[in-house]
Amino acid sequence: MKNCHRWQRILILSLLSFSVFAPIVLVSQRLKTLTSFGGKEFAEDLPSVNYMRDVLRLNSIEQEAAEGLKGPKLVVFNDKDISSVVRRSSYEDRDSDQFRNAQDDSKLLEANETNGNGKDEHQIQQTIIQMNSREKGQFNQEKGRDDQRLQSPFKVVDEKVKQMRDQLITAKAYLSFEPPGSNSRLMKELRARIRELERVVGEVSRDSDLPMSASQKMRSMELSLAKASRVFPDCSAMATKLRAMAYNAEEQVQVVRNQESHLLQLAGRTTPKGFHCLSMRLTAEYFWLRPEERQFPNQQNLNDPDLYHYAVLSDNVLAASVVVNSTISSAKEPEKIVFHVVTDSLNLPAISMWFLLNPPGKATIHVQSIENFDWLSTKYNSTLNEQKSYDPRYSSALNHLRFYLPDIFPALNKIVLFDHDVVVQRDLTEIWSIDMKGKVNGAVETCLESEASFRSIQMFMNFSDPFLARRFNANVCTWAFGMNLFDLHEWRRKNLTMLYRNYLQLGLKRSLWKGGSLPIGWITFYNQTVALEKRWHTLGLGYNSDVPPGDIENAAVIHYDGVMKPWLETGIAKYKGYWSKHLLYDHPYLQQCNIHE
């Protein structure tokens, strides 16, 4: 009996225990299932939340103005239908990808709807294949761009600086829409952001020079611009304003360029203070000399046709000195060289005194003044003084004296004429044996458009004038002054000096050309010029900073044509050494006048 009661109690306790613990177990299992399922759903919803956040940010203006917005229709793709999916790691490219994907979704949706109307499924498959191929192409392009960034990191170093400057322009454009007298909170915020960004970017041109706070400033400006875009949603007005700002900026840039060009031209026409000082000292010393002390040696060689005669027309002491020194130092037989320097009466004492103090070794030097040519005023009247130009480089008598060489040197048959802004680097003996083919002028041509020295005759001459159009070919090959071999015998026989004078007088009556004596030289020696090899004469050192080093090293003569002369501060620094090495900077007069490299 006792055993029976014991089993009854055990059974009752067991049933009670089961009734208590069973609900607890069931509830815990249910809660575990619900928690796992809900967490998974929440994690899967995060990308769509971020996506919608970006879409709202990009399309804030349109979505705020719209009413009754509907969510996009969703299309579910199976893994077997799409072979590849492009996933970008870059934050900057994500928005544009989403836009393109949305377009692809709409295309596929249209295909599905068409198929639902009874059409073939082949169209759907074709659409999917096209999308896959384009996605693959986009992936390859992105991969190529990423590889390029890794291989060439310095090509995009200023990307952030560029974005900051673009933000400044956009912010200033929004400020221009502010009504007069308005002082809203947004406008105050934009002004503050502009000041912050201007302080950060300043004159910086590389991302590496930006401070640590630059990224934060950019994000702050981006937020302010987003607010402004909601306040001023009129894209047409914004585009008009930006075009006006771009036009004004271009005008300001053009004004600055014109000022720069004017100042460079002005600098090219001036003489440095030290050069004035040198001329004054040399002139004073020259007049202290007795007449017999002013004579140069070897004057018996001046008319010897068997020697090599060179001429330079100059009013610059040091420029003439460099031409003479470089020619003689490069010569294999300097004793056969006769150098004729022609200047004006003002600079005759200084140039003469310089060469008396610094004689050119075994070579012969001869200095004469244009005012001593009595035949010039009687035979050719006053043509040289009738030039219509405010630029002394063009109106100077020395500039046009090159067309009177047969009269200046009546006993010579050949001569090489230098401009005073050249440097001779090679022995020039070979040039005297060049076959002139019965022509007068030997010069290097400048008619290749691929070269910086290119000069077209149409750029300088008015071929709308019937006189020029009938007589000259507008496509004829041009050539350079600076180093020219002249056959004076043929020149006299063909009377080219008189031809030059007739052209010059005609040009004074009507506008036929510009640019000084260069175009008139082209027509005076029209069909009378022999082309020299490029190695004889390299141009551009006075205006072109990209002259190939090989051309300079191989050239017999280098020419600083242009306004950036080597003796001026505006000269191109990397070319000055070729010129300055032929000057004696330790000379007492140069030291006293503060002339140095």
Side-chain angles (χ1 to χ4, degrees):
M1 192 68 180
K2 290 182 179 179
N3 291 332
C4 182
H5 288 297
R6 180 183 301 171
W7 284 108
Q8 288 178 352
R9 285 196 296 274
I10 292 172
L11 180 61
I12 292 170
L13 290 174
S14 299
L15 290 173
L16 288 174
S17 300
F18 180 80
S19 64
V20 171
F21 289 106
I24 295 174
V25 172
L26 290 174
V27 170
S28 63
Q29 289 294 329
R30 179 62 177 169
L31 287 174
K32 182 177 180 182
T33 302
L34 290 174
T35 303
S36 174
F37 181 76
K40 184 177 180 181
E41 281 188 330
F42 180 74
E44 290 176 349
D45 286 342
L46 280 177
S48 63
V49 172
N50 289 335
Y51 172 86
M52 293 304 298
R53 182 194 65 188
D54 294 336
V55 172
L56 288 171
R57 176 174 59 82
L58 288 174
N59 304 296
S60 57
I61 299 176
E62 291 81 353
Q63 291 188 12
E64 287 177 358
E67 294 180 1
L69 295 175
K70 296 181 180 180
K73 295 182 180 181
L74 301 178
V75 178
V76 180
F77 295 91
N78 295 325
D79 292 339
K80 63 181 180 179
D81 295 331
I82 301 179
S83 59
S84 64
V85 177
V86 179
R87 297 189 182 274
R88 299 177 184 268
S89 59
S90 163
Y91 177 81
E92 301 85 65
D93 297 335
R94 190 175 65 193
D95 296 337
S96 59
D97 282 354
Q98 291 168 348
F99 177 75
R100 287 194 292 270
N101 292 338
Q103 289 181 327
D104 294 338
D105 293 346
S106 64
K107 289 182 180 179
L108 190 59
L109 183 59
E110 291 174 0
N112 278 329
E113 290 176 351
T114 303
N115 185 63
N117 292 332
K119 291 203 173 178
D120 192 359
E121 291 184 359
H122 179 69
Q123 185 176 1
I124 302 177
Q125 297 298 331
Q126 289 295 111
T127 305
I128 293 174
I129 292 172
Q130 291 176 3
M131 291 169 55
N132 291 340
S133 62
R134 188 168 70 181
E135 287 175 342
K136 288 179 181 179
Q138 292 172 353
F139 176 78
N140 292 333
Q141 289 178 1
E142 285 300 315
K143 185 176 183 301
R145 281 197 291 266
D146 292 339
D147 293 342
Q148 187 176 9
R149 291 190 189 103
L150 291 174
Q151 294 173 1
S152 306
F154 296 104
K155 293 184 179 179
V156 293
V157 291
D158 60 341
E159 186 66 26
K160 188 176 292 185
V161 173
K162 182 180 178 182
Q163 292 177 5
M164 294 173 73
R165 297 193 189 282
D166 290 344
Q167 286 183 336
L168 284 172
I169 294 172
T170 307
K172 291 176 180 178
Y174 278 127
L175 278 180
S176 65
F177 285 100
E178 180 186 13
S182 174
N183 197 22
S184 65
R185 180 181 301 175
L186 177 59
M187 294 300 106
K188 290 181 180 179
E189 181 179 339
L190 277 178
R191 291 191 189 95
R193 295 287 181 259
I194 289 173
R195 287 194 296 270
E196 290 177 356
L197 218 58
E198 285 178 339
R199 283 195 295 266
V200 169
V201 70
E203 299 296 329
V204 172
S205 59
R206 297 175 64 89
D207 285 358
S208 57
D209 298 332
L210 291 172
M212 298 290 292
S213 61
S215 298
Q216 180 60 39
K217 303 296 184 186
M218 288 180 64
R219 286 192 291 270
S220 300
M221 175 62 87
E222 185 178 359
L223 293 175
S224 299
L225 293 177
K227 295 178 185 178
S229 68
R230 291 193 292 269
V231 176
F232 304 108
D234 190 348
C235 294
S236 176
M238 174 60 71
T240 302
K241 177 61 67 174
L242 289 174
R243 280 196 296 270
M245 294 175 66
Y247 178 77
N248 291 335
E250 289 176 359
E251 280 194 331
Q252 293 175 3
V253 169
Q254 189 58 46
V255 168
V256 172
R257 285 178 176 171
N258 291 340
Q259 291 176 346
E260 179 187 13
S261 177
H262 171 72
L263 292 175
L264 281 174
Q265 294 288 338
L266 184 62
R269 297 197 296 266
T270 58
T271 303
K273 182 179 178 180
F275 282 44
H276 283 294
C277 168
L278 178 64
S279 295
M280 294 297 293
R281 287 185 175 274
L282 291 172
T283 300
E285 289 294 328
Y286 180 80
F287 285 111
W288 278 104
L289 297 178
R290 296 188 300 271
E292 60 273 15
E293 294 176 333
R294 300 176 185 176
Q295 300 300 315
F296 291 100
N298 303 325
Q299 295 300 287
Q300 70 278 3
N301 296 331
L302 298 182
N303 297 320
D304 188 344
D306 296 328
L307 300 179
Y308 305 136
H309 292 264
Y310 300 91
V312 60
L313 315 176
S314 177
D315 57 359
N316 187 317
V317 176
L318 293 186
S321 172
V322 168
V323 177
V324 173
N325 291 345
S326 62
T327 304
I328 294 172
S329 63
S330 303
K332 295 179 179 178
E333 298 176 305
E335 66 277 3
K336 292 185 178 181
I337 290 179
V338 180
F339 229 108
H340 305 269
V341 181
V342 181
T343 185
D344 52 31
S345 58
L346 181 64
N347 292 282
L348 177 67
I351 293 179
S352 298
M353 190 65 201
W354 177 264
F355 287 112
L356 288 170
L357 293 174
N358 305 279
K362 298 179 181 180
T364 301
I365 190 76
H366 180 219
V367 183
Q368 52 186 331
S369 170
I370 189 175
E371 280 76 12
N372 294 335
F373 303 148
D374 297 331
W375 50 264
L376 189 60
S377 58
T378 58
K379 187 176 180 180
Y380 299 107
N381 300 321
S382 57
T383 307
L384 290 176
N385 299 322
E386 297 176 2
Q387 304 304 306
K388 294 180 179 179
S389 176
Y390 295 102
D391 191 335
R393 295 174 300 165
Y394 300 153
S395 60
S396 170
L398 288 174
N399 187 46
H400 287 264
L401 196 63
R402 67 184 74 190
F403 297 101
Y404 297 89
L405 292 178
D407 298 289
I408 299 174
F409 307 106
L412 302 181
N413 293 325
K414 277 188 177 182
I415 196 168
V416 171
L417 177 67
F418 290 127
D419 281 357
H420 72 172
D421 53 357
V422 305
V423 175
V424 179
Q425 301 187 124
R426 300 285 184 272
D427 177 65
L428 301 179
T429 304
E430 184 184 344
I431 201 173
W432 297 95
S433 60
I434 291 178
D435 182 8
M436 296 292 287
K437 301 176 183 179
K439 297 186 177 181
V440 177
N441 176 31
V444 170
E445 293 180 337
T446 57
C447 52
L448 292 180
E449 295 187 19
S450 59
E451 298 180 352
S453 61
F454 169 70
R455 298 290 184 274
S456 170
I457 194 171
Q458 300 180 67
M459 297 165 56
F460 296 86
M461 305 193 71
N462 178 21
F463 277 95
S464 62
D465 188 284
F467 175 80
L468 295 179
R470 287 195 305 266
R471 288 168 174 77
F472 306 104
N473 181 4
N475 298 316
V476 70
C477 195
T478 58
W479 46 268
F481 274 124
M483 189 214 67
N484 303 83
L485 173 64
F486 289 113
D487 187 327
L488 300 182
H489 175 73
E490 286 294 321
W491 189 330
R492 295 186 192 97
R493 192 177 67 83
K494 296 174 180 178
N495 200 15
L496 295 186
T497 298
M498 185 59 67
L499 182 64
Y500 152 79
R501 181 173 174 271
N502 293 337
Y503 287 152
L504 183 61
Q505 289 180 337
L506 185 63
L508 295 174
K509 296 177 182 178
R510 58 182 189 262
S511 179
L512 295 179
W513 48 72
K514 60 182 180 179
S517 62
L518 180 60
I520 198 172
W522 288 337
I523 61 175
T524 299
F525 298 107
Y526 188 76
N527 289 334
Q528 295 297 326
T529 300
V530 174
L532 301 181
E533 295 179 13
K534 294 287 185 182
R535 64 185 177 90
W536 285 112
H537 187 190
T538 291
L539 301 159
L541 278 71
Y543 65 88
N544 180 18
S545 59
D546 294 322
V547 179
D551 291 355
I552 298 176
E553 296 299 330
N554 296 328
V557 176
I558 56 175
H559 191 181
Y560 293 84
D561 54 321
V563 296
M564 293 183 280
K565 304 300 183 187
W567 56 83
L568 299 175
E569 291 185 4
T570 56
I572 302 174
K574 64 180 180 180
Y575 300 148
K576 287 187 175 183
Y578 298 103
W579 187 84
S580 60
K581 69 180 181 181
H582 295 287
L583 276 184
L584 303 174
Y585 284 101
D586 56 351
H587 193 283
Y589 284 176
L590 269 63
Q591 295 286 328
Q592 294 168 14
C593 292
N594 198 27
I595 298 176
H596 49 77
E597 293 187 70

